[in-house]
Amino acid sequence: MFTIGDFARHGRVSVRMLRHYDAIGLLRPAHVDPCSGYRFYEAGQLARLNRVIALKDLGFTLDQVRSIVDDEVGADELRGMLRLRRAELEAAVAEATARLGQVAARLRAIESEGHMSTHDIVVKSLPAVRLAELSAVAASYQPTDIGPVVGSLYQELCARLEAAGVTGFGPALTYYEDAPDGDGAVRAHAGMIVPPGATAPDVDFVELPPVERAATVIHRGPMEDVVSTYQTLTAWTAAHGHRSTGYARELYLESPDDRTRWVTELQEPLAD
């Protein structure tokens, strides 16, 4: 048998933790000396300790841990539970990471206020284009809602065009409109500029009419950081007495695997 100190060392936990687990009935010593009150543990109890620590580290409460280990859950079932819990925690981490990314993007937007040159904004006409497109509704116009929707649309669109033997398509162009349901939802149209006569099953082909005047600006970097560029374009449009006709288009001029090297032209159609 092991003293509480030895058992703590072998289990890589603290003596204080073992005393607490004893007090709440989660892991009782195998023997307690009636005279000295010293606690003694058996090697076989390390298996229960390992289960307790693994479950606790995965976010289960001690009451939940007791229920699980007291039911003598088998190793395979426990492994499945731990994998499920790990997946839940990984999803939570991914969500938190995305949220931190958006916070960082907003901070960069704040830091760049008044520093981005409006001389980079060009008013020009936009030619008519023929698009092969897919569309879907995003919950809002926030980058965290838009990005995953647009990304999956382009992945599916390119796969369908390639399967149909359509070549020479691109660059990509995304445009937006309010979703019929309202409440801030946005329908994103992910399109590829295609040559005349191109066809493919399960793909929509549309003709975007020419735009007489649009305020345009080049955004360099990932689309997660587009907020400051968009707002510079918005401020310029308002300062020069123009009125936007709706959402700006996004023409992806260069989109390599390294998203920090993306080059995107934001196109704001003007009403006057």
Side-chain angles (χ1 to χ4, degrees), residues 116 120-122 124 126 141 146 150 154 171-176 189 191 193 215-233 248-268:
M116 184 175 177
D120 296 329
I121 296 173
V122 176
K124 64 182 181 181
L126 305 178
Y141 198 44
I146 289 290
V150 172
Y154 274 116
L173 187 150
T174 303
Y175 66 100
Y176 306 93
H189 297 260
I193 299 176
T216 65
V217 66
I218 297 297
H219 170 72
R220 299 182 186 276
M223 293 306 290
E224 291 85 350
D225 290 348
V226 77
V227 173
S228 60
T229 311
Y230 256 128
Q231 291 182 356
T232 296
L233 184 60
R249 299 178 181 179
E250 298 165 359
L251 179 65
Y252 309 107
L253 301 175
E254 298 178 21
S255 49
D257 292 338
D258 182 357
R259 297 174 65 84
T260 63
R261 299 175 59 192
W262 277 30
V263 178
T264 307
E265 183 179 73
L266 307 182
Q267 304 173 338
E268 184 95 42

Side-chain angles (χ1 to χ4, degrees), residues 47-245:
R48 182 179 176 95
L49 177 62
N50 289 337
R51 284 164 168 74
V52 168
I53 299 302
L55 292 166
K56 183 177 72 70
D57 286 348
L58 283 169
F60 290 98
T61 68
L62 291 181
D63 286 339
Q64 291 171 325
V65 170
R66 181 188 296 107
S67 177
I68 293 171
V69 296
D70 284 349
D71 288 343
E72 297 184 354
V73 175
D76 288 342
E77 186 177 356
L78 181 59
R79 190 178 298 111
M81 295 173 62
L82 296 181
R83 285 175 176 168
L84 177 61
R85 184 60 176 167
R86 182 176 64 185
E88 292 173 348
L89 292 175
E90 287 173 347
V93 169
E95 181 180 352
T97 300
R99 188 177 299 115
L100 286 172
Q102 289 305 307
V103 170
R106 289 289 177 176
L107 287 174
R108 286 191 290 270
I110 292 171
E111 291 167 353
S112 66
E113 288 175 357
H115 297 295
M116 184 175 177
S117 174
T118 57
H119 295 302
D120 296 329
I121 296 173
V122 176
V123 175
K124 64 182 181 181
S125 61
L126 305 178
V129 292
R130 184 169 187 261
L131 290 182
E133 69 168 50
L134 296 176
S135 66
V137 173
S140 77
Y141 198 44
Q142 296 183 54
T144 48
D145 289 330
I146 289 290
V149 171
V150 172
S152 62
L153 285 174
Y154 274 116
Q155 185 175 13
E156 182 62 26
L157 176 62
C158 290
R160 294 184 187 184
L161 291 176
E162 290 172 357
V166 178
T167 60
F169 55 82
L173 187 150
T174 303
Y175 66 100
Y176 306 93
E177 60 183 347
D178 291 330
D181 296 342
D183 198 28
V186 175
R187 176 166 288 278
H189 297 260
M192 287 286 188
I193 299 176
V194 293
T199 60
D202 300 319
V203 173
D204 296 323
F205 288 84
V206 299
E207 301 283 346
L208 286 187
V211 174
E212 184 176 345
R213 298 175 72 240
T216 65
V217 66
I218 297 297
H219 170 72
R220 299 182 186 276
M223 293 306 290
E224 291 85 350
D225 290 348
V226 77
V227 173
S228 60
T229 311
Y230 256 128
Q231 291 182 356
T232 296
L233 184 60
T234 299
W236 181 93
T237 300
H240 287 76
H242 300 297
R243 182 169 58 87
S244 170
T245 61

